[in-house]
Amino acid sequence: MMRISFVIATGVFSVSLLSGAAMAEQNSAMMNAYQARMLIQDFTQRLQGELKGAMKDGGPVAAVAICKDKAPGIADSLSQQSGWQIGRTSLKPRNVERNSPDLWEQRVLRQFEDRARIGENPNTITYAEVVEESGGRSYRFMKAIPTAEVCLACHGKKINPEIAAALDAAYPQDQARGYEAGDLRGAFSLKKPL
């Protein structure tokens, strides 16, 4: 990258000129971030539709079954359609086998907690990076998942005993409880091979 500084009557300005390769890499990163955001939006809309139907038909206990059975299927379907690996993760996962964070995700989740602690809105916290892994380079993207008021029925500090029993049966190693509205609960995690 070349940096050029120049003076205009009101001050000194600096302009960065990107090489063709750097510009292509920047455009690729922007496109990947856009795709990741669209996939998260699609995943969220599909899961929310399923959850709303379950809540209407059987309340929060029925929603537990949707999260256990349908959410992984939605992620897998979107992954197959898009070529991205799509999932959710947390430092306190509900589904320990499927959603435990890898080392990179752990680092990013801790960074998210730090960013939220100093006042950044969890609704807007994201992070992206190109990572060298044993299988090659990957573009990785994470977006924070804040705890909404509606989430507290299954993720809050005071969970109805009937719901708690359904959670215990579905997720024997559940760690995803004790949250308050606005807390950072986890993140969407996406990966695309480059």
Side-chain angles (χ1 to χ4, degrees):
M1 178 171 59
M2 180 189 309
R3 183 169 294 280
I4 300 173
S5 297
F6 55 95
V7 178
I8 296 184
T10 58
V12 176
F13 294 87
S14 182
V15 176
S16 296
L17 301 176
L18 299 175
S19 69
M23 189 174 290
E25 189 172 315
Q26 184 178 29
N27 288 341
S28 176
M30 289 172 46
M31 181 56 73
N32 285 332
Y34 175 78
Q35 288 175 2
R37 289 175 191 277
M38 292 300 101
L39 288 165
I40 291 168
Q41 183 177 13
D42 195 2
F43 179 93
T44 301
Q45 288 174 345
R46 290 184 193 194
L47 181 57
Q48 285 177 347
E50 294 282 349
L51 287 171
K52 284 179 184 176
M55 291 289 285
K56 183 179 177 184
D57 295 340
V61 172
V64 171
I66 292 297
C67 282
K68 183 175 188 315
D69 300 328
K70 295 280 186 171
I74 293 169
D76 292 344
S77 173
L78 284 171
S79 294
Q80 289 173 359
Q81 293 169 11
S82 68
W84 288 72
Q85 181 182 328
I86 302 166
R88 296 174 297 164
T89 191
S90 174
L91 294 173
K92 292 172 41 178
R94 173 149 283 164
N95 184 340
V96 173
E97 291 178 14
R98 185 170 175 107
N99 302 120
S100 290
D102 64 23
L103 292 174
W104 184 85
E105 290 167 328
Q106 288 175 32
R107 180 176 55 82
V108 175
L109 286 165
R110 286 188 187 98
Q111 178 195 103
F112 282 9
E113 286 181 340
D114 291 343
R115 290 167 64 182
R117 196 174 4 267
I118 62 171
E120 191 170 344
N121 181 347
N123 285 308
T124 62
I125 297 175
T126 62
Y127 181 79
E129 182 178 6
V130 174
V131 179
E132 284 289 337
E133 300 175 310
S134 60
R137 293 177 62 200
S138 295
Y139 177 85
R140 298 197 70 175
F141 183 92
M142 286 179 64
K143 181 186 181 310
I145 300 173
T147 305
E149 194 72 38
V150 69
C151 304
L152 298 178
C154 296
H155 291 282
K157 292 184 177 185
K158 296 179 183 177
I159 299 175
N160 172 302
E162 186 181 4
I163 297 169
L167 289 169
D168 292 341
Y171 304 104
Q173 299 175 15
D174 180 20
Q175 301 171 35
R177 301 182 196 189
Y179 292 99
E180 295 179 3
D183 285 350
L184 176 69
R185 194 171 81 247
F188 293 99
S189 183
L190 289 82
K191 180 163 75 168
K192 176 183 176 182
L194 296 177

